[in-house]
Structure formats: C-alpha cells, structure tokens
Amino acid sequence: MKYDFTTLVDRSELSSSKWESMKGKGRELPKGIVPFSVADMEFKTPSKITEGLKDYLTDSILGYANPSKAYYDAICNWMKKRHGYEVNRERIATTPGVVCAIHLAIECFSKADENVLIMAPSYPPFFHAVEDCQRKLLVNNLVLKDGHYEIDFEDFEAKAKDPKTTMFILCSPHNPTGRVWKKEELERIAQICLENHVFIVADEIHHDLIMPGYHHICFPTLSKEIEDNCMMCTSVSKTFNVAGMKVSNIIIPNEERFKKFWALARKWHVTSLGILSFEACRIGYAECEDWLEELLETLAENKRFVTEYIKENLPMLKTIECEGTYLMWIDFRALNMTDEQLEEFMESKAYWYTNQGYTFLESGSGFERLNIACPKWVLEEAMERLNKAIKSL
Ligand SMILES: Cc1ncc(COP(=O)(O)O)c(C=O)c1O
C-alpha cells in the first residue's frame, strides 16, 4: 500500500467527538482502548489534504470565502467519473454539513402539520430533525429476512399515501444496516413517492464507500422526473475523513426548489463556510482518488476479518452483510440482555464503545453498530476482548 492505514493516531486530546464521548463516560479503561462509534475514521486524513492545507496557509489570508470554479469543477468531475452523474453546478448548495441541510429541507419543503417518513433502524439525526422541526414522524420498519434487510413496500406505500405525508428521507447507502439499495428498490421508492407527491431527501453521504460486489446508484440518475422530485445530499466528509471541516454539497436539481432552499439557508445565515473547508473538499475530489481506492481495500479486509472472526469464534452473534459504509451492524440478541445490560456489558466488560442499537429506534434494540474504519490490528484486539468477555458470562 502506498498510504498508511496501520498507524493509530491517539486522538484522546484532539477534541474528537467519539473519543471525548468515551472519556465522558468516566470509566477507568485499560490502555489502548479505541472507540468504534461516531462515523469518522481512525485513519489519518489523506496527506494530500493535510499538506495541501498547510501549503494553502502559507502566504494566505484567512478571509471570507466563496466556492471557486475549481471547487465546483472538482465536485462535478468526481460525480461524473465515480457515479456517472452529470451535476448542474448551478444547483449545488453548500451547507455546513448534511444534517444542517436536512433540517433546512424539512422547514422548506414540508409544513407544520405534515408527516415526514423515514426507515428504521434509522440514523438518529433523521428523527431528531423531524421532531425538532415539529413535523409528525412516520416510520417504515425495514424487515430482517434471513439476515438481510428488506423494504416493506406495502407499509411504505400505505404511509406515503397518507395525504399528510409530503417528505421521505432516504439513507442510501443505509446507515446503520449497510444496505446498498438495488436499482429496482430505488425505482419502486421513487415511483410510490411520485404518485403520492412525496418529495425525497436522499442522504447519500456514504456513496463513495461501497464494498466489492455492490454498486451504488445516485438517486437523481434514475430518471429526469425523479431528479426533479428529489435532492441529493453529498459530502467529502466520510470519503476522505474530513468530517470536522463541516462542508457538504447539496444537489437540488429543480430550480424553484433550489431557490427556496437557498433563500432559507441565507435567512438563517448558513451559506458561508470556512475557507479551509472549501479547499479540503476541492483537494479531496481533485487529488485523492488513489487514496480512496486503498481505503476501500482496507475496509473490505476489515469487514472480512470481523465477519469471519464472529462466524468462527462467536457464532451466537450474527453480522449483517455490510454492502456499503464502514459501519457493521451486529446482532447481539442471542445474549438475551436488555438494552441497558448490553450497553453496560459492552462498555465495562468488552470495552467496546460502539453505538447502541436501541438509539436507532426500537427495531435496533439488541444490535450494536461497529465502526470498522480503523487499523485492522485494533479490530483484532477488540474481537479478542469481546470473545473473552462473552466467554466469561
Ligand atoms: C447518513 C448520515 N448522514 C449524515 C451524517 C452527518 O453529516 P454531517 O456531518 O455532514 O452533518 C452522517 C454521519 O454519520 C450519516 O451517517
């Protein structure tokens, strides 16, 4: 490998959200415990980005920033080359993060007494956003069939048909289950939403992180009609480990909707980003594709390792096939613990600081979300710890 995916950076004093939250639990931990929660990576950000930012800072002026032509070129080239999507740069709205864009979208494209539909288990900020904006939350529970999550289309359609339902937030690839939706599934979702005048917010933040054998389809590429009825949330944050830069690119193909969204973003003053954020995003897309290729190989190997380890040593647990993202969704229900017992066991016996399944709504109860974006040896140690803890039960 040309790049370093084996060194662990000690982030315990680097204001990392996931490390701070582990420390905040106040437990005495053995040396070397690494958290596996929040979706950023324990791999160094590509040196082309960190060195590029240093170069940029030399003789620079840290004034107010606007995205440049080179910035938009980098995004559009990336989307065309990696995803076959020709993006109209006039319809890209920059926001300080995808979650911010989802809040804006709810305010913009739905009304106070209307329903917003999501799928569960769900990335928590989706339902928090719906609740914060005081819309009614409708939940379409995914169905676990033979270890594979599938969409209950009958239920989805019934909820979309409610005249009060005006928005659906799609997570593609899906966090936390790791599903990469098939074309037929996306088309069926799109069709139901079109027929029932439901606007789709497609959160595709993990779209560059696809496991071998799977193919991600950008939602707006399905058809012109569908493109007009959706917005696509993208970001370099997951792809190149720059989540702290808070830069995301929201593609809203319909002109009227784009203008409405941008007007609200201006009203709340969330259109301007930090000057380094734009540069980090530009460098990532323009110069770091080879880093991503190596990252994908590393993640595929980490997934293989965890899957095999569990199969051979802890067969009572079940891994759900991770088709995309770097998050593995693992079924611990066979341990027969309550959510509280499982959390306590994971943190105080196995020293696993993962995301607890119940925080992804009820259907996540009994599961753990493991972030595998870390050096493989860190996972090897963690699996041994978990094995020992379970054997001691
Ligand atoms: C599906 C999904 N959307 C959004 C985000 C966060 O986006 P941002 O940091 O750009 O607000 C995450 C982070 O884990 C995520 O998994």
Side-chain angles (χ1 to χ4, degrees):
M1 291 241 172
K2 187 166 147 202
Y3 298 105
D4 179 5
F5 293 99
T6 51
T7 303
L8 180 73
V9 177
D10 178 0
R11 298 166 83 193
S12 54
E13 302 301 330
L14 292 178
S15 296
S16 150
S17 145
K18 114 178 86 164
W19 287 69
E20 285 302 322
S21 119
M22 177 171 78
K23 277 170 25 186
K25 303 261 178 164
R27 285 204 174 86
E28 275 289 313
L29 296 176
K31 247 180 126 54
I33 299 300
V34 176
F36 297 119
S37 57
V38 179
D40 64 21
M41 304 193 261
E42 301 304 320
F43 298 126
K44 287 187 207 165
T45 299
S47 56
K48 279 185 186 150
I49 296 182
T50 48
E51 293 302 316
L53 289 179
K54 280 188 213 161
D55 289 347
Y56 186 81
L57 282 168
T58 312
D59 296 328
S60 190
I61 291 174
L62 297 178
Y64 290 116
N66 264 9
S68 63
K69 178 175 178 304
Y71 176 83
Y72 287 116
D73 284 347
I75 299 166
C76 292
N77 292 341
W78 182 267
M79 291 303 291
K80 185 163 179 220
K81 183 167 180 217
R82 302 274 318 179
H83 298 285
Y85 183 22
E86 292 230 26
V87 175
N88 174 357
R89 67 185 58 198
E90 309 267 298
R91 300 283 177 273
I92 300 175
T94 51
T95 59
V98 163
V99 173
C100 167
I102 291 172
H103 282 253
L104 287 169
I106 296 171
E107 286 291 340
C108 229
F109 304 132
S110 76
K111 298 199 188 81
D113 62 340
E114 291 176 346
N115 307 330
V116 178
L117 180 58
I118 63 167
M119 285 168 171
S122 166
Y123 172 58
F126 288 180
F127 50 87
H128 293 151
V130 175
E131 282 154 6
D132 290 348
C133 295
Q134 289 155 354
R135 306 303 191 255
K136 186 171 169 218
L137 181 73
L138 289 190
V139 178
N140 170 240
N141 282 308
L142 294 168
V143 182
L144 188 55
K145 258 193 212 152
D146 301 327
H148 191 250
Y149 277 94
E150 288 170 23
I151 299 169
D152 177 350
F153 277 106
E154 220 171 281
D155 178 74
F156 184 85
E157 186 161 17
K159 288 182 170 137
K161 272 200 161 117
D162 181 337
K164 291 242 180 230
T165 307
T166 51
M167 178 177 285
F168 167 54
I169 306 174
L170 169 72
C171 193
S172 175
H174 189 258
N175 171 8
T177 68
R179 272 301 315 275
V180 172
W181 305 114
K182 294 200 191 87
K183 190 162 187 240
E184 309 84 83
E185 292 172 309
L186 294 174
E187 282 176 339
R188 205 160 158 198
I189 289 172
Q191 201 49 40
I192 293 171
C193 288
L194 275 174
E195 281 166 12
N196 294 287
H197 311 287
V198 175
F199 181 68
I200 297 165
V201 177
D203 178 345
E204 303 191 33
I205 196 168
H206 296 277
H207 69 338
D208 290 314
L209 302 161
I210 306 300
M211 290 290 175
Y214 296 93
H215 175 63
H216 175 81
I217 295 167
C218 292
F219 200 76
T221 64
L222 290 172
S223 77
K224 272 279 153 219
E225 205 186 2
I226 293 167
E227 188 185 26
D228 210 45
N229 189 47
C230 74
M231 59 184 253
M232 175 183 178
C233 306
T234 74
S235 173
V236 272
S237 58
K238 307 290 172 205
T239 312
F240 298 116
N241 210 17
V242 291
M245 282 290 169
K246 300 305 286 177
V247 52
S248 61
N249 298 297
I250 312 302
I251 303 162
I252 310 175
N254 178 285
E255 184 177 359
E256 218 174 288
R257 285 199 191 264
F258 177 86
K259 284 184 176 158
K260 199 169 171 199
F261 180 92
W262 200 237
L264 185 65
R266 270 209 307 267
K267 178 176 156 191
W268 287 349
H269 211 72
V270 284
T271 51
S272 70
L273 308 183
I275 199 161
L276 295 181
S277 308
F278 288 126
E279 187 57 6
C281 175
R282 188 200 64 74
I283 299 173
Y285 283 149
E287 299 176 25
C288 297
E289 191 172 11
D290 59 343
W291 185 90
L292 174 64
E293 293 299 348
E294 289 196 0
L295 169 73
L296 291 174
E297 273 179 50
T298 307
L299 295 176
E301 172 53 23
N302 285 0
K303 166 189 148 179
R304 188 206 59 74
F305 165 71
V306 172
T307 308
E308 293 297 313
Y309 188 98
I310 288 182
K311 214 158 141 195
E312 279 166 28
N313 303 284
L314 297 166
M316 70 296 271
L317 307 184
K318 299 278 174 261
T319 51
I320 303 299
E321 165 79 358
C322 175
E323 303 174 351
T325 79
Y326 46 71
L327 307 165
M328 282 187 76
W329 189 239
I330 306 176
D331 186 350
F332 280 73
R333 288 176 298 176
L335 296 187
N336 274 323
M337 293 184 185
T338 63
D339 291 331
E340 294 70 25
Q341 287 167 337
L342 182 59
E343 184 164 7
E344 177 64 21
F345 169 75
M346 296 305 282
E347 295 182 356
S348 68
K349 298 286 187 297
Y351 303 114
W352 266 42
Y353 284 81
T354 38
N355 286 101
Q356 302 301 314
Y358 70 85
T359 62
F360 296 82
L361 290 178
E362 292 89 303
S363 57
S365 174
F367 287 75
E368 295 284 332
R369 194 191 73 172
L370 171 69
N371 182 336
I372 58 166
C374 61
K376 186 177 162 194
W377 61 265
V378 173
L379 286 173
E380 287 167 350
E381 287 183 5
M383 294 313 303
E384 288 299 319
R385 281 202 310 276
L386 179 66
N387 196 354
K388 232 163 104 189
I390 290 183
K391 298 269 151 69
S392 74
L393 278 172

